[in-house]
Amino acid sequence: MNYDKIITGGSVVTPGGVLDADIAISGEKIAAIGTGLASSSNGAQIIDAAGHYVIPGVLDVHVHLALPFCGTTSADDYYTGTRAGARGGVTTLIDFAIPYEGDSLNDAADKWHQKAEGKALIDYTFHICITRWDEHKDQIEGMVKRGFSTFKEFMIYESEGWQSDDRAMFGTLEKMKELGTMLLVHAESSRVLDELIERHHTPELMAKYGAQLHHMSRPNFVEAEAIQRAIMWSEMTGGQLYIVHMSTSEGADIVRRAQSRGVPVLAETCVQYLVLEDSVFAREDGHLFACCPQIKKPKDIERLWKGMKDGEVSVVSTDTCTFSREQKAMWEGDFTKIPMGLPGLETLLPLVYTHGVRAGRISIEEMCRKLSTNPARIMGLAPRKGAIQVGADADMAIIHPTNEIRVDPGTMETNADWSPYEGWSLAGFSRTTLSRGDVIVDNYKVVGEAGRGKWLSRKTAGLAAENSAHQHSELESAEIA
Ligand code: URP
Ligand code: ZN
Ligand code: ZN
């Protein structure tokens, strides 16, 4: 056979388990997986993966690039953000197209296409945000025809003009049921949160506690109540629901109970909720760590790792929303003014690999399910993305099992001049990243061209039909089949 490239000698993480095998690539696709493929290479480029894992390219399905938010614009755009992702083995990302005042859903998608145009190194698509239900509800079906199958509503951010109420969530979930699409929800209880923020927003408390007020004003029930309520609307309508950035043990318990009684709900967490504790807010630079929902406590961290094993946490993403030190300094001692969000694309895989796989919390196969296979299936991108299998896009990362790199923002691709993980030693950075057969990271350095990344059209949210009462076992076993 004539192949373009052959990856040889690696431990390949496939849906069927880890195999010592070669992978042959023709054009953009995986053409064969087997032993001895290189013996008849006929001039194919050989990529030596001996002593390395070859894993499916990571899908980060929760990313905000160049997002106008909190009075500024997030600092990673499609150029720096997708380069950062590639270095972290990410080959697909999903951003959120948000309609601002007067914008239709189509306008939002057009604006996000413009942001990506000519800049993206990896493949991408968008979740379409519904910010004004009465105006947007009749536009949803048109967006599905245009190739978007996931929608998003925020239960907070009234001041940004993004907030949805129960009527909107209920109506959207009815539409999701009708169209076979999925609603993503940022679940925090806005009115209780307003009250708690107001109670903490005094000059005395701000002088005494500074950025710690961010987590003090957001107890776990703020997220748990909102998850409970969104799940109720999913249960009553039958509409597929996906809780984004779940951060609490209470939330995980509620999702688990709902799934076991057959509610079509899935949940993602973000890597920061798996590795950071809320003691970071007590640091002198604690305001840098502000994000919504905020970083939680060790008991939440352990519960979320358990949820990864047990199945109620289906996906790990980043919620990348980068702000520089200068942007974060806009808070000037008032915790309500901190630009909310963290950098993340570049460190997702190294953090989950180091703190999950190397720490013995999950296996490498489980890691690949949470970072690649599940997000691809749930977001309607499988079988093209998410698994090393014949016929799929040749999206892969080659990682060394033990070699560590120290996190140093000065040498990273992200536009952040700081990192929540600065100084941490992490294994799992991508030595070689392939996107649709192109080598875009070689020897840990980005070599791919900006603008080669493609927008991905989707028909439905893939997992909706399979998410039944026995979702835990079905999801996990379906991936291995
Ligand atoms: O703090 C965060 N998470 N910023 C991005 C917006 C959001 O809520 O996802
Ligand atoms: Zn959010
Ligand atoms: Zn987000």
Side-chain angles (χ1 to χ4, degrees):
M1 270 300 282
N2 281 335
Y3 301 120
D4 296 316
K5 296 187 179 82
I6 304 174
I7 303 173
T8 58
S11 299
V12 182
V13 184
T14 74
V18 182
L19 311 173
D20 288 332
D22 302 333
I23 303 167
I25 298 167
S26 285
E28 299 192 340
K29 301 286 181 190
I30 297 175
I33 303 169
T35 47
L37 295 178
S39 58
S40 55
S41 62
N42 286 341
Q45 180 189 342
I46 302 294
I47 299 172
D48 182 7
H52 289 71
Y53 284 118
V54 185
I55 63 172
V58 171
L59 289 87
D60 187 349
V61 299
H62 190 149
V63 173
H64 305 275
L65 297 177
L67 176 69
F69 184 45
C70 299
T72 181
T73 298
S74 67
D76 273 313
D77 66 2
Y78 273 82
Y79 181 76
T80 60
T82 59
R83 286 173 68 88
R87 192 166 168 262
V90 177
T91 50
T92 302
L93 67 81
I94 313 187
D95 195 343
F96 294 80
I98 304 182
Y100 287 82
E101 208 181 332
D103 284 346
S104 65
L105 300 184
N106 264 319
D107 294 335
D110 290 346
K111 283 185 183 171
W112 256 260
H113 271 297
Q114 279 162 24
K115 285 181 207 253
E117 196 60 46
K119 290 188 175 169
L121 172 63
I122 60 173
D123 294 348
Y124 57 91
T125 183
F126 319 123
H127 308 289
I128 303 296
C129 298
I130 295 162
T131 50
R132 293 178 301 281
W133 169 244
D134 285 320
E135 206 177 306
H136 293 149
K137 64 182 171 196
D138 295 331
Q139 301 168 11
I140 294 173
E141 199 166 345
M143 299 312 290
V144 177
K145 291 197 178 112
R146 202 177 150 177
F148 297 100
S149 60
T150 49
F151 296 84
K152 163 85 179 284
E153 285 173 347
F154 298 90
M155 292 171 81
I156 63 163
Y157 300 137
E158 189 171 25
S159 59
E160 301 285 342
W162 298 354
Q163 190 174 324
S164 288
D165 60 12
D166 289 336
R167 181 170 158 263
M169 273 194 297
F170 183 79
T172 309
L173 283 161
E174 284 182 326
K175 278 232 175 276
M176 299 298 105
K177 168 84 177 156
E178 182 191 321
L179 299 171
T181 49
M182 183 166 77
L183 177 65
L184 285 65
V185 167
H186 173 138
E188 288 189 285
S189 195
S190 66
R191 291 295 164 241
V192 173
L193 189 52
D194 290 345
E195 171 63 21
L196 294 176
I197 289 173
E198 203 179 306
R199 284 186 201 175
H200 289 85
H201 199 243
T202 68
E204 298 73 38
L205 288 176
M206 287 203 279
K208 190 167 174 194
Y209 294 111
Q212 293 180 79
L213 290 170
H214 180 56
H215 78 85
M216 289 165 69
S217 59
R218 287 176 131 89
N220 283 17
F221 62 75
V222 167
E223 179 180 272
E225 185 279 332
I227 290 179
Q228 179 74 69
R229 190 149 35 97
I231 283 176
M232 175 64 88
W233 307 143
S234 167
E235 188 162 18
M236 291 303 113
T237 58
Q240 179 68 49
L241 173 67
Y242 176 99
I243 305 293
V244 298
H245 51 45
M246 185 171 71
S247 64
T248 56
S249 60
E250 290 86 343
D253 290 344
I254 292 166
V255 166
R256 180 162 187 86
R257 284 198 296 273
Q259 287 177 336
S260 53
R261 63 177 191 273
V263 183
V265 58
L266 296 163
E268 86 180 0
T269 192
C270 297
V271 67
Q272 55 270 31
Y273 305 117
L274 292 169
V275 299
L276 293 174
E277 297 176 13
D278 63 4
S279 54
V280 292
F281 293 110
R283 286 169 42 162
E284 206 173 317
D285 61 357
H287 66 286
L288 295 176
F289 292 81
C291 55
C292 300
Q294 94 286 4
I295 307 303
K296 298 294 194 304
K297 301 209 180 300
K299 81 161 173 73
D300 299 296
I301 295 175
E302 288 319 316
R303 179 66 186 85
L304 293 170
W305 280 110
K306 184 174 173 335
M308 297 257 281
K309 280 237 76 82
D310 293 351
E312 59 268 24
V313 177
S314 297
V315 171
V316 186
S317 67
T318 62
D319 196 6
T320 293
C321 191
T322 305
F323 295 106
S324 65
R325 284 178 183 275
E326 192 183 339
Q327 289 174 303
K328 287 276 185 181
M330 288 165 58
W331 82 304
E332 293 179 320
D334 180 342
F335 74 101
T336 65
K337 295 196 180 130
I338 310 175
M340 297 295 171
L342 303 176
L345 274 154
E346 201 157 351
T347 43
L348 169 63
L349 167 61
L351 285 165
V352 178
Y353 179 71
T354 304
H355 290 264
V357 178
R358 291 200 78 199
R361 283 164 153 151
I362 54 172
S363 67
I364 189 138
E365 293 95 327
E366 283 164 332
M367 179 188 82
C368 292
R369 281 205 284 277
K370 306 298 172 176
L371 294 180
S372 304
T373 318
N374 284 359
R377 292 194 55 206
I378 291 167
M379 298 301 167
L381 289 167
R384 181 173 173 187
K385 304 286 189 189
I388 297 180
Q389 57 196 7
V390 173
D393 281 0
D395 290 358
M396 282 164 275
I398 302 179
I399 62 171
H400 193 276
T402 55
N403 279 359
E404 292 181 347
I405 292 180
R406 232 171 115 80
V407 177
D408 170 8
T411 63
M412 290 167 82
E413 293 293 338
T414 170
N415 221 4
D417 54 357
W418 71 286
S419 166
Y421 319 105
E422 196 159 340
W424 294 26
S425 286
L426 301 175
F429 281 98
S430 183
R431 187 206 73 181
T432 310
T433 307
L434 290 109
S435 163
R436 281 182 282 102
D438 290 344
V439 173
I440 60 167
V441 170
D442 185 25
N443 197 20
Y444 300 98
K445 299 255 175 342
V446 174
V447 294
E449 295 273 315
R452 62 166 298 289
K454 284 187 183 158
W455 173 72
L456 300 165
S457 175
R458 295 174 290 152
K459 284 196 178 66
T460 56
L463 213 85
E466 290 168 82
N467 181 34
S468 70
H470 304 291
Q471 186 258 341
H472 293 282
S473 52
E474 278 189 11
L475 175 57
E476 302 294 335
S477 57
E479 290 153 2
I480 301 174

PDB file of all heavy atoms in Angstrom, residues 127-151:
ATOM      1  N   HIS A 127     -20.760  26.456  19.618  1.00  0.00           N
ATOM      2  CA  HIS A 127     -22.083  26.315  20.216  1.00  0.00           C
ATOM      3  C   HIS A 127     -22.768  27.673  19.998  1.00  0.00           C
ATOM      4  O   HIS A 127     -22.122  28.720  20.109  1.00  0.00           O
ATOM      5  CB  HIS A 127     -22.006  26.067  21.718  1.00  0.00           C
ATOM      6  CG  HIS A 127     -21.094  24.942  22.120  1.00  0.00           C
ATOM      7  ND1 HIS A 127     -21.385  23.620  21.878  1.00  0.00           N
ATOM      8  CD2 HIS A 127     -19.896  24.950  22.772  1.00  0.00           C
ATOM      9  CE1 HIS A 127     -20.407  22.864  22.375  1.00  0.00           C
ATOM     10  NE2 HIS A 127     -19.494  23.641  22.913  1.00  0.00           N
ATOM     11  N   ILE A 128     -24.070  27.645  19.718  1.00  0.00           N
ATOM     12  CA  ILE A 128     -24.774  28.905  19.465  1.00  0.00           C
ATOM     13  C   ILE A 128     -25.513  29.322  20.745  1.00  0.00           C
ATOM     14  O   ILE A 128     -26.359  28.578  21.266  1.00  0.00           O
ATOM     15  CB  ILE A 128     -25.788  28.740  18.301  1.00  0.00           C
ATOM     16  CG1 ILE A 128     -25.063  28.244  17.028  1.00  0.00           C
ATOM     17  CG2 ILE A 128     -26.532  30.049  18.052  1.00  0.00           C
ATOM     18  CD1 ILE A 128     -24.033  29.185  16.439  1.00  0.00           C
ATOM     19  N   CYS A 129     -25.185  30.500  21.238  1.00  0.00           N
ATOM     20  CA  CYS A 129     -25.780  30.958  22.501  1.00  0.00           C
ATOM     21  C   CYS A 129     -27.115  31.659  22.236  1.00  0.00           C
ATOM     22  O   CYS A 129     -27.228  32.453  21.295  1.00  0.00           O
ATOM     23  CB  CYS A 129     -24.834  31.906  23.221  1.00  0.00           C
ATOM     24  SG  CYS A 129     -23.292  31.083  23.653  1.00  0.00           S
ATOM     25  N   ILE A 130     -28.076  31.329  23.067  1.00  0.00           N
ATOM     26  CA  ILE A 130     -29.387  31.980  22.990  1.00  0.00           C
ATOM     27  C   ILE A 130     -29.426  32.969  24.147  1.00  0.00           C
ATOM     28  O   ILE A 130     -29.374  32.560  25.315  1.00  0.00           O
ATOM     29  CB  ILE A 130     -30.514  30.924  23.092  1.00  0.00           C
ATOM     30  CG1 ILE A 130     -30.437  30.010  21.864  1.00  0.00           C
ATOM     31  CG2 ILE A 130     -31.889  31.588  23.218  1.00  0.00           C
ATOM     32  CD1 ILE A 130     -31.182  28.705  22.030  1.00  0.00           C
ATOM     33  N   THR A 131     -29.453  34.249  23.821  1.00  0.00           N
ATOM     34  CA  THR A 131     -29.394  35.263  24.881  1.00  0.00           C
ATOM     35  C   THR A 131     -30.714  36.020  25.034  1.00  0.00           C
ATOM     36  O   THR A 131     -30.931  36.660  26.055  1.00  0.00           O
ATOM     37  CB  THR A 131     -28.259  36.275  24.606  1.00  0.00           C
ATOM     38  OG1 THR A 131     -28.384  36.750  23.257  1.00  0.00           O
ATOM     39  CG2 THR A 131     -26.890  35.632  24.788  1.00  0.00           C
ATOM     40  N   ARG A 132     -31.562  35.979  24.004  1.00  0.00           N
ATOM     41  CA  ARG A 132     -32.880  36.647  24.095  1.00  0.00           C
ATOM     42  C   ARG A 132     -33.911  35.707  23.474  1.00  0.00           C
ATOM     43  O   ARG A 132     -34.105  35.692  22.253  1.00  0.00           O
ATOM     44  CB  ARG A 132     -32.849  38.008  23.359  1.00  0.00           C
ATOM     45  CG  ARG A 132     -31.940  39.031  24.046  1.00  0.00           C
ATOM     46  CD  ARG A 132     -31.877  40.350  23.307  1.00  0.00           C
ATOM     47  NE  ARG A 132     -31.386  40.221  21.954  1.00  0.00           N
ATOM     48  CZ  ARG A 132     -30.083  40.097  21.617  1.00  0.00           C
ATOM     49  NH1 ARG A 132     -29.159  40.093  22.548  1.00  0.00           N
ATOM     50  NH2 ARG A 132     -29.734  39.973  20.348  1.00  0.00           N
ATOM     51  N   TRP A 133     -34.529  34.906  24.338  1.00  0.00           N
ATOM     52  CA  TRP A 133     -35.389  33.799  23.911  1.00  0.00           C
ATOM     53  C   TRP A 133     -36.460  34.232  22.911  1.00  0.00           C
ATOM     54  O   TRP A 133     -36.605  33.625  21.843  1.00  0.00           O
ATOM     55  CB  TRP A 133     -36.003  33.132  25.152  1.00  0.00           C
ATOM     56  CG  TRP A 133     -37.102  32.160  24.868  1.00  0.00           C
ATOM     57  CD1 TRP A 133     -38.403  32.262  25.235  1.00  0.00           C
ATOM     58  CD2 TRP A 133     -36.984  30.914  24.152  1.00  0.00           C
ATOM     59  NE1 TRP A 133     -39.114  31.169  24.799  1.00  0.00           N
ATOM     60  CE2 TRP A 133     -38.258  30.327  24.127  1.00  0.00           C
ATOM     61  CE3 TRP A 133     -35.925  30.249  23.530  1.00  0.00           C
ATOM     62  CZ2 TRP A 133     -38.516  29.112  23.519  1.00  0.00           C
ATOM     63  CZ3 TRP A 133     -36.185  29.035  22.906  1.00  0.00           C
ATOM     64  CH2 TRP A 133     -37.467  28.476  22.910  1.00  0.00           C
ATOM     65  N   ASP A 134     -37.202  35.302  23.242  1.00  0.00           N
ATOM     66  CA  ASP A 134     -38.322  35.682  22.361  1.00  0.00           C
ATOM     67  C   ASP A 134     -37.835  36.024  20.954  1.00  0.00           C
ATOM     68  O   ASP A 134     -38.490  35.709  19.969  1.00  0.00           O
ATOM     69  CB  ASP A 134     -39.104  36.859  22.965  1.00  0.00           C
ATOM     70  CG  ASP A 134     -39.969  36.370  24.124  1.00  0.00           C
ATOM     71  OD1 ASP A 134     -40.545  35.269  24.001  1.00  0.00           O
ATOM     72  OD2 ASP A 134     -40.020  37.059  25.153  1.00  0.00           O
ATOM     73  N   GLU A 135     -36.672  36.658  20.894  1.00  0.00           N
ATOM     74  CA  GLU A 135     -36.111  37.061  19.603  1.00  0.00           C
ATOM     75  C   GLU A 135     -35.479  35.864  18.867  1.00  0.00           C
ATOM     76  O   GLU A 135     -35.534  35.774  17.645  1.00  0.00           O
ATOM     77  CB  GLU A 135     -35.016  38.079  19.929  1.00  0.00           C
ATOM     78  CG  GLU A 135     -34.684  39.080  18.897  1.00  0.00           C
ATOM     79  CD  GLU A 135     -33.612  40.022  19.484  1.00  0.00           C
ATOM     80  OE1 GLU A 135     -33.815  40.616  20.582  1.00  0.00           O
ATOM     81  OE2 GLU A 135     -32.544  40.128  18.857  1.00  0.00           O
ATOM     82  N   HIS A 136     -34.882  34.946  19.620  1.00  0.00           N
ATOM     83  CA  HIS A 136     -34.048  33.906  18.997  1.00  0.00           C
ATOM     84  C   HIS A 136     -34.757  32.570  18.753  1.00  0.00           C
ATOM     85  O   HIS A 136     -34.262  31.745  17.990  1.00  0.00           O
ATOM     86  CB  HIS A 136     -32.799  33.641  19.863  1.00  0.00           C
ATOM     87  CG  HIS A 136     -31.850  34.805  19.911  1.00  0.00           C
ATOM     88  ND1 HIS A 136     -31.053  35.097  20.990  1.00  0.00           N
ATOM     89  CD2 HIS A 136     -31.574  35.772  18.973  1.00  0.00           C
ATOM     90  CE1 HIS A 136     -30.332  36.175  20.742  1.00  0.00           C
ATOM     91  NE2 HIS A 136     -30.633  36.608  19.534  1.00  0.00           N
ATOM     92  N   LYS A 137     -35.901  32.360  19.441  1.00  0.00           N
ATOM     93  CA  LYS A 137     -36.466  31.001  19.427  1.00  0.00           C
ATOM     94  C   LYS A 137     -36.794  30.490  18.020  1.00  0.00           C
ATOM     95  O   LYS A 137     -36.604  29.309  17.729  1.00  0.00           O
ATOM     96  CB  LYS A 137     -37.687  30.903  20.353  1.00  0.00           C
ATOM     97  CG  LYS A 137     -38.853  31.744  19.970  1.00  0.00           C
ATOM     98  CD  LYS A 137     -39.963  31.585  21.005  1.00  0.00           C
ATOM     99  CE  LYS A 137     -41.051  32.595  20.739  1.00  0.00           C
ATOM    100  NZ  LYS A 137     -41.946  32.764  21.865  1.00  0.00           N
ATOM    101  N   ASP A 138     -37.249  31.385  17.150  1.00  0.00           N
ATOM    102  CA  ASP A 138     -37.617  30.919  15.802  1.00  0.00           C
ATOM    103  C   ASP A 138     -36.410  30.808  14.867  1.00  0.00           C
ATOM    104  O   ASP A 138     -36.556  30.459  13.696  1.00  0.00           O
ATOM    105  CB  ASP A 138     -38.674  31.857  15.190  1.00  0.00           C
ATOM    106  CG  ASP A 138     -39.967  31.786  15.981  1.00  0.00           C
ATOM    107  OD1 ASP A 138     -40.227  30.708  16.573  1.00  0.00           O
ATOM    108  OD2 ASP A 138     -40.691  32.795  16.045  1.00  0.00           O
ATOM    109  N   GLN A 139     -35.231  31.134  15.383  1.00  0.00           N
ATOM    110  CA  GLN A 139     -34.018  31.055  14.553  1.00  0.00           C
ATOM    111  C   GLN A 139     -33.244  29.748  14.781  1.00  0.00           C
ATOM    112  O   GLN A 139     -32.278  29.464  14.074  1.00  0.00           O
ATOM    113  CB  GLN A 139     -33.100  32.248  14.872  1.00  0.00           C
ATOM    114  CG  GLN A 139     -33.774  33.591  14.618  1.00  0.00           C
ATOM    115  CD  GLN A 139     -32.985  34.764  15.205  1.00  0.00           C
ATOM    116  OE1 GLN A 139     -31.847  34.619  15.632  1.00  0.00           O
ATOM    117  NE2 GLN A 139     -33.603  35.937  15.226  1.00  0.00           N
ATOM    118  N   ILE A 140     -33.686  28.987  15.782  1.00  0.00           N
ATOM    119  CA  ILE A 140     -32.899  27.797  16.171  1.00  0.00           C
ATOM    120  C   ILE A 140     -32.848  26.781  15.023  1.00  0.00           C
ATOM    121  O   ILE A 140     -31.771  26.273  14.676  1.00  0.00           O
ATOM    122  CB  ILE A 140     -33.476  27.171  17.465  1.00  0.00           C
ATOM    123  CG1 ILE A 140     -33.294  28.148  18.634  1.00  0.00           C
ATOM    124  CG2 ILE A 140     -32.826  25.824  17.762  1.00  0.00           C
ATOM    125  CD1 ILE A 140     -33.966  27.731  19.929  1.00  0.00           C
ATOM    126  N   GLU A 141     -33.994  26.498  14.440  1.00  0.00           N
ATOM    127  CA  GLU A 141     -34.045  25.475  13.391  1.00  0.00           C
ATOM    128  C   GLU A 141     -33.138  25.850  12.206  1.00  0.00           C
ATOM    129  O   GLU A 141     -32.453  24.998  11.625  1.00  0.00           O
ATOM    130  CB  GLU A 141     -35.488  25.276  12.910  1.00  0.00           C
ATOM    131  CG  GLU A 141     -35.658  23.984  12.206  1.00  0.00           C
ATOM    132  CD  GLU A 141     -37.117  23.593  12.017  1.00  0.00           C
ATOM    133  OE1 GLU A 141     -38.015  24.183  12.672  1.00  0.00           O
ATOM    134  OE2 GLU A 141     -37.348  22.690  11.191  1.00  0.00           O
ATOM    135  N   GLY A 142     -33.114  27.132  11.882  1.00  0.00           N
ATOM    136  CA  GLY A 142     -32.247  27.601  10.787  1.00  0.00           C
ATOM    137  C   GLY A 142     -30.777  27.342  11.095  1.00  0.00           C
ATOM    138  O   GLY A 142     -29.988  27.022  10.195  1.00  0.00           O
ATOM    139  N   MET A 143     -30.418  27.474  12.369  1.00  0.00           N
ATOM    140  CA  MET A 143     -29.022  27.228  12.749  1.00  0.00           C
ATOM    141  C   MET A 143     -28.684  25.741  12.621  1.00  0.00           C
ATOM    142  O   MET A 143     -27.561  25.378  12.260  1.00  0.00           O
ATOM    143  CB  MET A 143     -28.751  27.724  14.175  1.00  0.00           C
ATOM    144  CG  MET A 143     -28.963  29.213  14.368  1.00  0.00           C
ATOM    145  SD  MET A 143     -28.174  30.244  13.112  1.00  0.00           S
ATOM    146  CE  MET A 143     -26.455  30.045  13.500  1.00  0.00           C
ATOM    147  N   VAL A 144     -29.668  24.896  12.915  1.00  0.00           N
ATOM    148  CA  VAL A 144     -29.442  23.453  12.761  1.00  0.00           C
ATOM    149  C   VAL A 144     -29.194  23.150  11.284  1.00  0.00           C
ATOM    150  O   VAL A 144     -28.266  22.414  10.931  1.00  0.00           O
ATOM    151  CB  VAL A 144     -30.639  22.639  13.319  1.00  0.00           C
ATOM    152  CG1 VAL A 144     -30.430  21.149  13.096  1.00  0.00           C
ATOM    153  CG2 VAL A 144     -30.843  22.939  14.799  1.00  0.00           C
ATOM    154  N   LYS A 145     -29.999  23.786  10.411  1.00  0.00           N
ATOM    155  CA  LYS A 145     -29.809  23.580   8.953  1.00  0.00           C
ATOM    156  C   LYS A 145     -28.434  24.085   8.522  1.00  0.00           C
ATOM    157  O   LYS A 145     -27.842  23.571   7.575  1.00  0.00           O
ATOM    158  CB  LYS A 145     -30.904  24.308   8.179  1.00  0.00           C
ATOM    159  CG  LYS A 145     -32.268  23.673   8.385  1.00  0.00           C
ATOM    160  CD  LYS A 145     -33.267  24.102   7.323  1.00  0.00           C
ATOM    161  CE  LYS A 145     -34.603  23.413   7.535  1.00  0.00           C
ATOM    162  NZ  LYS A 145     -35.668  24.330   7.951  1.00  0.00           N
ATOM    163  N   ARG A 146     -27.926  25.091   9.222  1.00  0.00           N
ATOM    164  CA  ARG A 146     -26.608  25.656   8.879  1.00  0.00           C
ATOM    165  C   ARG A 146     -25.454  24.805   9.426  1.00  0.00           C
ATOM    166  O   ARG A 146     -24.286  25.124   9.202  1.00  0.00           O
ATOM    167  CB  ARG A 146     -26.548  27.090   9.439  1.00  0.00           C
ATOM    168  CG  ARG A 146     -25.560  27.974   8.767  1.00  0.00           C
ATOM    169  CD  ARG A 146     -25.586  29.406   9.317  1.00  0.00           C
ATOM    170  NE  ARG A 146     -24.259  29.982   9.197  1.00  0.00           N
ATOM    171  CZ  ARG A 146     -23.930  31.215   9.518  1.00  0.00           C
ATOM    172  NH1 ARG A 146     -24.849  32.042   9.981  1.00  0.00           N
ATOM    173  NH2 ARG A 146     -22.696  31.640   9.390  1.00  0.00           N
ATOM    174  N   GLY A 147     -25.762  23.754  10.186  1.00  0.00           N
ATOM    175  CA  GLY A 147     -24.689  22.840  10.644  1.00  0.00           C
ATOM    176  C   GLY A 147     -24.295  23.006  12.099  1.00  0.00           C
ATOM    177  O   GLY A 147     -23.231  22.541  12.507  1.00  0.00           O
ATOM    178  N   PHE A 148     -25.175  23.645  12.887  1.00  0.00           N
ATOM    179  CA  PHE A 148     -24.899  23.781  14.330  1.00  0.00           C
ATOM    180  C   PHE A 148     -25.904  22.937  15.100  1.00  0.00           C
ATOM    181  O   PHE A 148     -27.105  23.039  14.868  1.00  0.00           O
ATOM    182  CB  PHE A 148     -25.014  25.248  14.758  1.00  0.00           C
ATOM    183  CG  PHE A 148     -23.998  26.136  14.096  1.00  0.00           C
ATOM    184  CD1 PHE A 148     -24.346  26.921  13.000  1.00  0.00           C
ATOM    185  CD2 PHE A 148     -22.691  26.173  14.556  1.00  0.00           C
ATOM    186  CE1 PHE A 148     -23.403  27.732  12.383  1.00  0.00           C
ATOM    187  CE2 PHE A 148     -21.746  26.983  13.946  1.00  0.00           C
ATOM    188  CZ  PHE A 148     -22.093  27.762  12.848  1.00  0.00           C
ATOM    189  N   SER A 149     -25.417  22.138  16.027  1.00  0.00           N
ATOM    190  CA  SER A 149     -26.351  21.230  16.702  1.00  0.00           C
ATOM    191  C   SER A 149     -26.322  21.360  18.218  1.00  0.00           C
ATOM    192  O   SER A 149     -26.972  20.591  18.908  1.00  0.00           O
ATOM    193  CB  SER A 149     -26.039  19.784  16.301  1.00  0.00           C
ATOM    194  OG  SER A 149     -24.719  19.468  16.675  1.00  0.00           O
ATOM    195  N   THR A 150     -25.564  22.327  18.736  1.00  0.00           N
ATOM    196  CA  THR A 150     -25.544  22.524  20.189  1.00  0.00           C
ATOM    197  C   THR A 150     -25.774  23.995  20.486  1.00  0.00           C
ATOM    198  O   THR A 150     -25.236  24.875  19.798  1.00  0.00           O
ATOM    199  CB  THR A 150     -24.192  22.066  20.785  1.00  0.00           C
ATOM    200  OG1 THR A 150     -23.125  22.629  20.025  1.00  0.00           O
ATOM    201  CG2 THR A 150     -24.083  20.550  20.778  1.00  0.00           C
ATOM    202  N   PHE A 151     -26.597  24.243  21.494  1.00  0.00           N
ATOM    203  CA  PHE A 151     -26.989  25.599  21.866  1.00  0.00           C
ATOM    204  C   PHE A 151     -26.629  25.814  23.331  1.00  0.00           C
ATOM    205  O   PHE A 151     -26.373  24.849  24.054  1.00  0.00           O
ATOM    206  CB  PHE A 151     -28.492  25.783  21.596  1.00  0.00           C
ATOM    207  CG  PHE A 151     -28.784  25.654  20.119  1.00  0.00           C
ATOM    208  CD1 PHE A 151     -28.961  24.378  19.534  1.00  0.00           C
ATOM    209  CD2 PHE A 151     -28.793  26.758  19.297  1.00  0.00           C
ATOM    210  CE1 PHE A 151     -29.159  24.241  18.172  1.00  0.00           C
ATOM    211  CE2 PHE A 151     -28.994  26.620  17.924  1.00  0.00           C
ATOM    212  CZ  PHE A 151     -29.183  25.369  17.364  1.00  0.00           C
TER     213      PHE A 151
END
